[in-house]
Amino acid sequence: MARNQLTVLTALDVAKTQWYHFTAIVIAGMGFFTDAYDLFCISLVTKLLGRIYYHVDGAPKPGTLPPNVSAAVNGVAFCGTLAGQLFFGWLGDKLGRKKVYGITLILMVVSSVASGLSFGSSPKGVMATLCFFRFWLGFGIGGDYPLSATIMSEYANKRTRGAFIAAVFAMQGFGILGGGIVALIISSAFDHQYKAAPYSVDPIGSTVPEADYVWRIVLMVGAIPAALTYYWRMKMPETARYTALVAKNAKQAASDMSKVLQVDIEAEEEKVAKLSAKESNSFGLFSREFLKRHGLHLFGTASTWFLLDIAFYSQNLFQKDIFSAIGWIPPAASMNAIHEVYKIARAQTLIALCSTVPGYWFTVALIDYMGRFAIQMMGFFFMTVFMFALAIPYHHWTLKPNRIGFVVMYSLTFFFANFGPNATTFVVPAEIFPARLRSTCHGISAAAGKAGAIVGAFGFLYAAQSKDPSKRDAGYPAGIGVKNSLIMLGVINFFGMVCTLCVPEPKGKSLEELSGENEEDGEAATTASNRTVPAV
């Protein structure tokens, strides 16, 4: 342990797992539940939006969103998230984690409700207002990433810090599952109440007027969990690491953590002043010193998150298209509009229940034993293997007797994404950077991930289209097909393994030991350079 460690930070590092740890996980985790619900629920209702607003009389297939509209509806929240991660990450280091934490939640609640109230007298008007509100929804969600991760890492003890941060992120799995369950309940209720014939029997009657309420309710329900946790977020004290190391208020840090830990902690004002005066605690993000100490680390966290999210978000957003391609979801013309929502939601719920959620919690259980580096390498490796196993004999998997096998293999790629880099790319940036830059660097890493999500969401939308015109969605140009798209994702996952070599192993070390904040200047530089080699 670094020799100049403050007593209040040492107390946090060695604290036994207490009630406040679980409280912090729930408070931060409910934000992530909402994040995942809001980001992924749109994929459940995009086909319904196409039927309602883009119906073409006499067309053999139900209406679908035009390519540019579909890309905007699916991707605009990611653009907002990227901007929010950069802005709120920076603001969290400037103003403090707690001060900014409530703003993001209010933005998420208001934008969720407003998305469901999207108005307009024409399809373009409805889609434009929907995209506007989903951008600001994404902006609020973006702020939740660096703030939740940083708050949890700064509250946790060093022995179980990885599990606590991963547990916050694991709530994303429940958010995806929750979106599917809510859509199942709402679509089932409406389908039972408002009977409608399939599109092939009655093209106009297959989409009842009440279907317009279905997508609006699904989107608005996302505001409920966020609103429920606002009060508790405002009651959380600022983290001791921000208060002591960034705000330089030793007395407040000791007072806050004395209440949290229920022990008496001395306010070490002289030691805080000494630490803040050191040259090793004053370099900025764009300095040569930061580049020397943490440049490779930031490249590693940003590049691995970027590559992971290309694969992860393209899978999540367009799994309904993959299920349609293999026949797991019936042809659109054989269903009415609301029943199609039910079928898509059922598929997402099964995948979330069987692979997504378990994968997250395997990481929570094992991250502080296996280490972040090993889990991330393993996850990328198996994602690569399963992508190629799906892609190379792709025709085999499309045959009716083998479709269940395809879904199992597809589910395993989700499992190893979550018992792998999807969790660790969130955890590591919250641990390895100095306190005054921690939220900013996590925001940069997360924003790189969302840039990858945008590439996946927009790129896969076009790339996965078949070369056969009869199998393409209306209005789309020929793509490379699902098979070649899966091969591309396999290659991307392989490069994720390569970039993981730039990420250090934080297991079992204090945050100050990892960042070098409490070490002498020369010693800190030497230690930081040694940390570029990951420990397995």
Side-chain angles (χ1 to χ4, degrees):
M1 183 176 291
R3 67 182 74 125
N4 293 323
Q5 180 82 313
L6 295 169
T7 303
V8 65
L9 305 187
T10 302
L12 284 167
D13 280 340
V14 301
K16 292 180 180 179
T17 301
Q18 298 177 36
W19 181 248
Y20 82 89
H21 286 126
F22 295 107
T23 304
I25 289 170
V26 171
I27 293 169
M30 285 310 290
F32 264 86
F33 178 96
T34 307
D35 296 349
Y37 181 101
D38 289 332
L39 285 176
F40 293 115
C41 69
I42 194 68
S43 68
L44 299 169
V45 297
T46 48
K47 285 187 179 289
L48 177 61
L49 290 171
R51 285 190 185 234
I52 295 171
Y53 295 105
Y54 292 91
H55 170 75
V56 178
D57 288 333
K61 293 182 181 179
T64 58
L65 295 178
N68 59 332
V69 176
S70 183
V73 169
N74 281 307
V76 71
F78 293 144
C79 298
T81 303
L82 190 155
Q85 286 163 335
L86 292 173
F87 176 72
F88 286 113
W90 168 79
L91 206 61
D93 283 334
K94 291 296 177 187
L95 300 182
R97 290 61 159 127
K98 182 193 171 180
K99 285 183 181 177
V100 186
Y101 213 23
I103 299 171
T104 62
L105 210 59
I106 291 171
L107 202 52
M108 287 157 61
V109 171
V110 172
S111 299
S112 286
V113 174
S115 295
L117 298 175
S118 295
F119 51 86
S121 57
S122 67
K124 282 187 179 179
V126 176
M127 293 302 116
T129 53
L130 176 61
C131 288
F132 175 80
F133 291 126
R134 281 192 63 79
F135 175 86
W136 290 108
L137 173 65
F139 194 69
I141 289 170
D144 224 44
Y145 275 72
L147 294 171
S148 291
T150 301
I151 285 170
M152 198 65 243
S153 73
E154 293 181 345
Y155 263 103
N157 61 54
K158 66 181 182 180
R159 185 175 56 84
T160 56
R161 185 178 62 237
F164 289 157
I165 305 172
V168 169
F169 194 63
M171 293 299 287
Q172 192 178 72
F174 288 122
I176 296 170
L177 181 63
I181 291 172
V182 167
L184 276 174
I185 293 170
I186 293 169
S187 61
S188 181
F190 272 77
D191 197 25
H192 179 76
Q193 181 67 30
Y194 304 102
K195 301 291 185 183
Y199 182 87
S200 57
V201 176
D202 183 0
I204 295 176
S206 68
T207 305
V208 295
E210 291 79 8
D212 196 49
Y213 292 111
V214 172
W215 70 270
R216 296 178 185 275
I217 295 170
V218 169
L219 296 188
M220 287 194 285
V221 167
I224 296 172
L228 292 175
T229 55
Y230 179 77
Y231 171 76
W232 298 106
R233 280 200 179 190
M234 292 299 92
K235 285 195 70 176
M236 287 179 77
E238 182 58 85
T239 70
R241 286 182 161 92
Y242 181 86
T243 306
L245 299 176
V246 184
K248 318 297 183 191
N249 191 336
K251 188 178 291 186
Q252 187 64 49
S255 172
D256 288 343
M257 291 307 106
S258 293
K259 294 173 187 173
V260 168
L261 297 171
Q262 298 181 331
V263 294
D264 291 327
I265 298 175
E266 179 187 355
E268 301 168 293
E269 295 180 16
E270 289 183 12
K271 191 180 282 189
V272 167
K274 183 181 175 184
L275 284 171
S276 62
K278 282 168 56 179
E279 187 182 334
S280 62
N281 288 339
S282 60
F283 60 84
L285 179 66
F286 299 104
S287 66
R288 189 172 295 177
E289 188 69 16
F290 178 87
L291 185 64
K292 182 171 71 173
R293 293 192 186 189
H294 299 292
L296 194 61
H297 299 164
L298 187 57
F299 169 78
T301 57
S303 61
T304 51
W305 208 335
F306 173 78
L307 294 167
L308 177 275
D309 272 8
I310 292 176
F312 184 78
Y313 278 87
S314 60
Q315 280 178 270
N316 257 298
L317 279 170
F318 302 109
Q319 62 183 349
K320 63 183 185 302
D321 297 313
I322 291 173
F323 289 144
S324 296
I326 64 163
W328 215 47
I329 294 175
S334 68
M335 299 178 283
N336 67 50
I338 296 174
H339 193 65
E340 185 177 37
V341 175
Y342 176 86
K343 288 285 190 178
I344 294 168
R346 188 182 67 172
Q348 177 167 306
T349 303
L350 286 170
I351 290 292
L353 194 61
C354 298
S355 64
T356 307
V357 172
Y360 281 116
W361 290 98
F362 265 76
T363 302
V364 173
L366 297 173
I367 191 168
D368 287 310
Y369 298 97
M370 292 177 62
R372 290 71 161 150
F373 178 80
I375 287 178
Q376 187 159 309
M377 285 293 280
M378 176 196 70
F380 270 129
F381 172 77
F382 281 112
M383 286 173 72
T384 305
V385 169
F386 286 121
M387 284 292 184
F388 285 134
L390 285 171
I392 294 169
Y394 181 70
H395 177 70
H396 167 81
W397 296 117
T398 60
L399 300 176
K400 195 166 186 178
N402 306 321
R403 285 172 180 171
I404 297 301
F406 182 97
V407 173
V408 171
M409 297 278 280
Y410 183 71
S411 299
L412 285 170
T413 64
F414 271 105
F415 177 81
F416 282 106
N418 295 313
F419 181 32
N422 194 38
T424 54
T425 51
F426 177 80
V427 172
V428 175
E431 300 180 294
I432 62 177
F433 298 107
R436 67 188 178 283
L437 300 171
R438 186 169 292 134
S439 179
T440 302
C441 290
H442 194 284
I444 292 170
S445 302
K450 279 300 164 285
I454 292 167
V455 171
F458 287 95
F460 197 88
L461 186 65
Y462 288 88
Q465 296 298 323
S466 174
K467 294 175 184 178
D468 181 352
S470 65
K471 295 181 180 178
R472 287 203 299 269
D473 289 335
Y476 285 85
I480 59 175
V482 174
K483 175 177 179 174
N484 291 327
S485 296
L486 290 170
I487 290 174
M488 283 179 61
L489 295 178
V491 172
I492 286 166
N493 289 325
F494 172 78
F495 280 108
M497 291 172 61
V498 175
C499 291
T500 297
L501 297 172
C502 299
V503 180
E505 176 56 76
K507 184 180 77 169
K509 297 177 182 177
S510 74
L511 298 179
E512 290 66 46
E513 190 179 355
L514 287 160
S515 64
E517 286 172 280
N518 287 354
E519 296 166 341
E520 297 302 324
D521 293 347
E523 180 188 349
T526 303
T527 307
S529 66
N530 290 339
R531 280 196 303 271
T532 58
V533 180
V536 181

